[in-house]
């Protein structure tokens, strides 16, 4: 075959297209499997995807619905993606979200009468410190004691939720909250408002900035380079004298801090106090977002928007198609399986190598 | 049977009763996970299998009127999930932990999807055997209501222990779990052994789910499992991959879970929610105490990704 592509396209586009086309193909395969499922239960896949488009992405109003879901998903996904760069599978981000939200709510009661900047700053910092410390513990246990991070983070998520229930039910409970135990409501000045022109709170913008910053950290700094080496081969990195322990604790702390920030925005922008609504499973959907994005922080942004749109369309699908609310969960599960299965396709197709296009 | 005031004796009794009632799903799901992990693979998706087992078991028991058919259906559903997990993990580059998380999501989703119509109807319950007939105290009698599945689980634990120790099948599973290379040298197909072990493990998890919906708490709804399936992974570590220890660990977890409600029943409500964390704190503490950065955990199958 003659030489089809020239140097820039060859060295830039071809190697990268694999990381884009394979996940897209997997997304398509997952959607096809789900379409078959819908046909089997006697529903129209076209109607389903049409409604996802209508309710998630078609109008300004549907974009508001979608964006309202996106902010916690981005932060929760960062909590998975950052440790993943070091080869760690951390799945307990939910715990950091919940405790971060509680820390923000408690800090808010301390900061009554402060200026909004100072007050919100204290709240956000408390949330990040608690969330970061929580997940950094997972990293530290891995490094110091060899405790598996997946299991440890999972156990700690359950412990966090029990701790949260205990504190919201007891020491930090607002006596006025009767049926639904909550912390004291935040002062109006300590609420995070909406951004101008779009009805989505500032957490969306902060999340996008955080994703970009993490991408720069991983792809463009020596620190990120060291982390990627450690993620490829931990032993080799240790032999090379890289500070693997500090990297692991630093990356888990950063990931946890973002999860804590998700809790902060849920409390300060959405709920107004810490209560059971915080335990909404964003930590677990975040795992899916991170894997779909192949742990690339930049890719987290569109993936979180896509999954946010699915979540936002759930209500309309229930009403219009007479389907249970778990339909979206089935859809997510099928996509997740397809994405993980597609991992096996990397490096198998010669079409993604420059050699193929050079005619060799 | 009027309750007799037995004062503080109610606390250990309630813990015992809780241990027997609550431990059965822990027991089955941990035996399943133990079998899978002994073959060198980990299945985090048992939570999804358990929830799907709870739903399908309840649905079939309601439709056929037989709780035992329900248990069989749940086990069959577990086999299907296990086979799928085992098949997907066979591919190069597929992470068994991540696939588990995905199947947990999918299993939960499918269970909620198909289980919607079965939230209202009442299915027949699994029978239990009264071992407390010798006592006049109704609390003791209630505490010693032992479900048939609990007894079956205890027998299964002993059987698995014997199987690993003394049979060829047990040896094959152990070899595959400890060294893929040794298995290949012996002419064993490691993928097939793992596939079958994961399928059998899934069947046990399905039965665990059926116990939840058909005996205790004894109804199908979306909150029927509170993480028992996920806890199995921790429980197996706790039990050092030994089926007999799985039995004791399940009892311990069941009892620890009953501690909070038991104390509340005698007026100690301080820290009610903290007691729910007891089994998790226990496991984490044990993990920290026995792990080491230098060597794999004692008793762990060497091919297991989480202990390497």
């Amino acid at each position: 075959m003659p030489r089809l592509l020239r140097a820039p396209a060859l060295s830039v586009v071809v190697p990268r297209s694999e990381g884009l086309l394979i996940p897209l193909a997997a997304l398509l395969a997952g959607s096809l499997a789900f379409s078959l499922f819908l046909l089997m239960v006697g529903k129209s896949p076209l109607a389903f995807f049409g409604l996802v488009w209508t309710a998630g992405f078609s109008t300004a109003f549907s974009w508001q619905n979608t964006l309202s879901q996106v902010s916690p998903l981005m932060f929760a996904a960062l909590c998975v993606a950052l440790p993943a760069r070091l080869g760690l599978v951390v799945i307990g981000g939910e715990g950091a979200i919940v405790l971060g939200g509680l820390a923000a709510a408690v800090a808010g009661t301390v900061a009554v009468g402060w200026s909004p900047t100072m007050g919100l700053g204290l709240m956000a910092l408390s949330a990040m410190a608690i969330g970061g410390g929580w997940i950094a513990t997972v990293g530290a246990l891995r490094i110091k004691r060899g405790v598996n991070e997946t299991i440890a983070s999972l156990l700690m998520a359950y412990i966090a939720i029990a701790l949260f229930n205990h504190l919201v039910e007891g020491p930090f409970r607002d006596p006025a909250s009767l049926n639904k135990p909550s912390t004291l409501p935040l002062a109006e000045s300590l609420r995070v408002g909406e951004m101008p022109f779009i009805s989505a709170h500032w957490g969306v913008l902060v999340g996008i900035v955080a994703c970009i910053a993490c991408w720069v950290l991983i792809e463009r700094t020596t620190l990120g380079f060291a982390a990627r080496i450690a993620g490829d081969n931990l032993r080799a990195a240790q032999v090379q004298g890289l500070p693997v322990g500090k990297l692991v604790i630093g990356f888990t702390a950063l990931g946890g801090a973002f999860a804590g920030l998700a809790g902060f925005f849920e409390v300060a922008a959405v709920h107004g106090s810490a209560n059971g609504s915080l335990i909404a499973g964003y930590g677990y959907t975040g795992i899916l977002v991170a894997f779909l994005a192949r742990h690339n922080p930049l890719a987290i942004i569109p993936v979180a928007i896509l999954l946010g749109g699915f979540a936002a369309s759930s209500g309309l699908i229930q009403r219009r198609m007479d389907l249970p609310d778990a339909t979206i969960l089935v859809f997510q599960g099928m996509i997740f399986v397809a994405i993980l299965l597609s991992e096996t396709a990397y490096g198998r197709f010669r079409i993604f190598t420059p050699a193929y296009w050079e005619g060799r | 049977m009027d309750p007799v005031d037995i004062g503080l004796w109610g606390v250990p009794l309630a813990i015992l009763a809780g241990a027997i009632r609550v431990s059965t799903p822990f027991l089955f799901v941990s035996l399943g996970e133990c079998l899978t992990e002994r073959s060198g693979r980990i299945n985090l998706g048992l939570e999804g299998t358990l929830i799907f087992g709870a739903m399908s078991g309840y649905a079939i028991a309601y439709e056929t009127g037989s709780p035992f058919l329900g248990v069989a259906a749940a086990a069959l559903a577990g086999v299907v999930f296990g086979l799928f997990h085992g098949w997907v993990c066979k591919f190069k580059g597929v992470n068994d932990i991540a696939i588990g998380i995905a199947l947990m999501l999918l299993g939960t989703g499918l269970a909620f999807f198909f289980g919607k119509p079965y939230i209202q109807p009442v299915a027949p319950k699994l029978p239990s055997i009264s071992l407390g007939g010798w006592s006049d105290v109704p609390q003791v009698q209630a505490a010693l209501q032992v479900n048939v599945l609990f007894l079956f689980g205890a027998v299964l634990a002993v059987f698995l222990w014997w199987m690993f120790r003394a049979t060829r099948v047990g040896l094959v599973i152990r070899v595959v779990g400890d060294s893929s290379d040794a298995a290949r040298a012996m002419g064993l197909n490691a993928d097939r052994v793992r596939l079958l072990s994961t399928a059998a493990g899934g069947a046990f998890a399905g039965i665990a789910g059926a116990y939840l919906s058909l005996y205790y708490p004894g109804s199908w709804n979306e909150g029927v499992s509170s993480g028992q399936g996920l806890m199995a992974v921790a429980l197996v570590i706790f039990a050092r991959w030994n089926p007999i220890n799985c039995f004791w660990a399940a009892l311990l977890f069941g009892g620890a879970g009953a501690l909070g409600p038991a104390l509340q029943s005698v007026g100690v409500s301080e820290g009610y929610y903290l007691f729910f964390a007891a089994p998790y704190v226990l496991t984490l503490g044990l993990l920290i105490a026995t792990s080491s950065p230098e060597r794999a955990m004692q008793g762990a199958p060497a091919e297991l990704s989480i202990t390497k």
Side-chain angles (χ1 to χ4, degrees):
Chain A
M1 196 160 62
R3 195 183 173 112
L4 293 172
L5 293 170
R6 297 229 152 255
L10 211 58
S11 59
V12 179
V13 177
V14 169
R16 284 175 195 209
S17 58
E18 183 181 37
L20 186 68
L21 289 179
I22 291 182
L24 276 180
L27 197 60
L28 197 66
S31 305
L32 278 176
F34 181 69
S35 302
L36 280 178
F37 171 80
L38 283 181
L39 287 174
M40 265 161 51
V41 297
K43 302 282 177 181
S44 155
L46 284 178
F48 176 85
F49 287 106
L51 282 177
V52 167
W53 171 254
T54 311
F57 305 103
S58 65
T59 64
F61 179 72
S62 54
W63 270 98
Q64 287 167 17
N65 271 340
T66 297
L67 287 178
S68 68
Q69 306 274 340
V70 169
S71 154
L73 287 183
M74 283 190 292
F75 290 123
L78 284 176
C79 185
V80 181
L82 287 175
R85 279 304 160 113
L86 286 144
L88 304 185
V89 185
V90 171
I91 62 173
E94 185 85 357
I97 294 176
V98 166
L99 288 184
L102 180 65
V106 173
T109 60
V110 174
V112 169
W114 295 21
S115 75
T117 323
M118 293 278 289
L120 284 171
L122 177 78
M123 288 164 64
L125 280 179
S126 320
M128 290 176 80
I130 297 284
W134 196 255
I135 303 294
T137 308
V138 174
L141 286 175
R142 170 80 206 205
I143 286 302
K144 306 276 182 222
R145 299 282 324 166
V147 176
N148 176 265
E149 76 285 351
T150 311
I151 308 298
S153 66
L154 185 66
L155 291 171
M156 284 180 65
Y158 280 106
I159 296 171
I161 287 171
L163 204 59
F164 175 86
N165 283 332
H166 172 72
L167 293 173
V168 172
E169 187 80 40
F172 296 134
R173 179 172 181 166
D174 171 15
S177 62
L178 295 174
N179 290 327
K180 190 173 189 182
S182 299
T183 57
L184 287 168
L186 290 174
E188 212 40 55
S189 62
L190 293 179
R191 295 294 299 268
V192 169
E194 292 183 343
M195 292 186 281
F197 308 116
I198 51 171
S199 320
H201 63 76
W202 286 96
V204 178
L205 185 69
V206 177
I208 291 173
V209 171
C211 286
I212 296 171
C214 286
W215 181 82
V216 171
L217 172 73
I218 289 171
E219 302 287 340
R220 292 287 182 269
T221 65
T222 44
L223 215 59
F225 184 62
R228 277 185 289 153
I229 293 192
D232 282 341
N233 190 332
L234 208 69
R235 289 273 144 75
Q238 275 165 335
V239 171
Q240 290 291 317
L242 287 175
V244 173
K246 283 181 187 155
L247 282 171
V248 165
I249 294 176
F251 269 65
T252 44
L254 191 60
F258 284 128
L261 211 50
F264 161 75
F265 278 112
E266 284 304 288
V267 164
V270 182
H271 302 303
S273 68
N275 56 47
S277 313
L278 257 179
I279 313 169
Y282 285 119
Y284 297 104
T285 318
I287 304 170
L288 172 59
V289 174
F291 270 89
L292 255 166
R294 304 204 75 226
H295 309 306
N296 176 345
L298 271 193
I300 284 176
I301 303 170
V303 172
I305 292 175
L306 190 67
L307 288 197
F310 293 164
S313 55
S314 177
L316 192 68
I317 286 162
Q318 271 180 68
R319 286 193 302 277
R320 291 273 186 86
M321 292 182 71
D322 191 27
L323 281 168
D325 52 354
T327 311
I328 292 291
L329 208 56
V330 177
F331 185 35
Q332 285 181 351
M334 288 187 174
I335 289 179
F336 204 168
V337 172
I339 287 289
L340 292 171
L341 244 171
S342 75
E343 289 285 327
T344 196
Y346 289 91
R348 285 204 184 183
F349 298 109
R350 257 176 60 79
I351 194 167
F352 294 123
T353 57
Y356 176 86
W357 296 98
E358 278 168 355
R360 276 191 269 139
Chain B
M1 288 205 303
D2 289 323
V4 181
D5 187 22
I6 51 172
L8 282 177
W9 276 108
V11 175
L13 202 58
I15 291 171
L16 177 72
I20 292 175
R21 256 201 325 268
V22 183
S23 66
T24 307
F26 282 126
L27 176 59
F28 274 95
V29 85
S30 67
L31 287 177
E33 186 69 39
C34 182
L35 181 59
T36 307
E37 289 192 18
R38 270 294 183 96
S39 76
R41 190 170 276 157
I42 182 163
N43 184 0
L44 270 188
L46 288 191
E47 174 79 4
T49 312
L50 177 118
I51 296 177
F52 195 84
M55 186 284 294
S56 52
Y58 196 79
I60 296 297
Y62 171 73
E63 300 289 353
T64 64
S66 161
F68 289 103
L69 277 179
V71 173
L76 190 69
V79 167
V80 172
F81 273 96
L83 283 176
F84 188 70
H85 186 280
W87 174 73
V88 174
C89 286
K90 179 180 88 172
F91 293 100
K92 192 176 130 277
V94 174
N95 177 330
D96 54 352
I97 292 184
I99 275 290
I101 301 168
L103 282 184
M104 173 163 61
L105 201 67
L106 184 61
T108 311
L110 287 173
F112 292 178
F113 187 95
F114 291 112
K116 206 92 200 171
Y118 294 101
I119 290 179
Q120 285 297 333
V122 178
K125 281 198 170 193
L126 281 166
S128 60
I129 301 164
S130 299
L131 294 181
W134 48 271
S135 171
D136 302 329
V137 185
Q139 285 96 328
V140 173
Q141 288 174 6
L144 291 176
Q145 285 280 342
V146 178
N147 184 269
V148 284
L149 281 185
F150 177 78
L151 300 174
F152 175 52
V155 172
L156 187 65
V158 176
F159 170 78
L160 284 178
W161 173 79
W162 171 79
M163 186 187 86
F164 283 132
R165 238 180 103 91
T167 69
R168 186 179 155 75
V169 175
L171 179 71
V172 164
I173 294 174
R174 270 168 36 210
V175 168
V176 168
D178 274 330
S179 166
S180 291
D181 292 335
R184 210 171 298 122
M186 285 172 67
L188 296 169
N189 184 340
D191 277 332
R192 186 173 308 150
V193 173
R194 288 186 186 136
L195 178 78
L196 295 175
S197 301
T198 315
F204 296 165
I207 294 175
Y211 176 89
L212 285 176
S213 61
L214 291 175
Y215 187 71
Y216 185 80
S219 65
W220 158 251
N221 62 64
E222 296 183 354
V224 74
S225 162
S226 43
Q228 282 100 331
L230 280 172
M231 280 307 294
V233 182
L235 230 146
V236 173
I237 297 171
F238 201 81
R240 287 274 166 276
W241 293 271
N242 176 343
I244 299 282
N245 286 350
C246 281
F247 176 77
W248 297 116
L251 272 184
L252 185 68
F253 274 41
L259 194 60
L263 284 176
Q264 201 188 33
S265 70
V266 292
V268 183
S269 59
E270 189 61 37
Y272 177 76
Y273 287 97
L274 286 184
F275 285 112
F276 281 117
Y280 309 107
V281 174
L282 218 61
T283 311
L284 189 64
L286 188 97
L287 255 181
I288 295 169
T290 59
S291 295
S292 154
E294 279 88 36
R295 54 176 170 77
M297 260 183 288
Q298 204 189 347
E303 289 285 325
L304 206 57
S305 53
I306 56 156
T307 52
K308 266 185 197 165

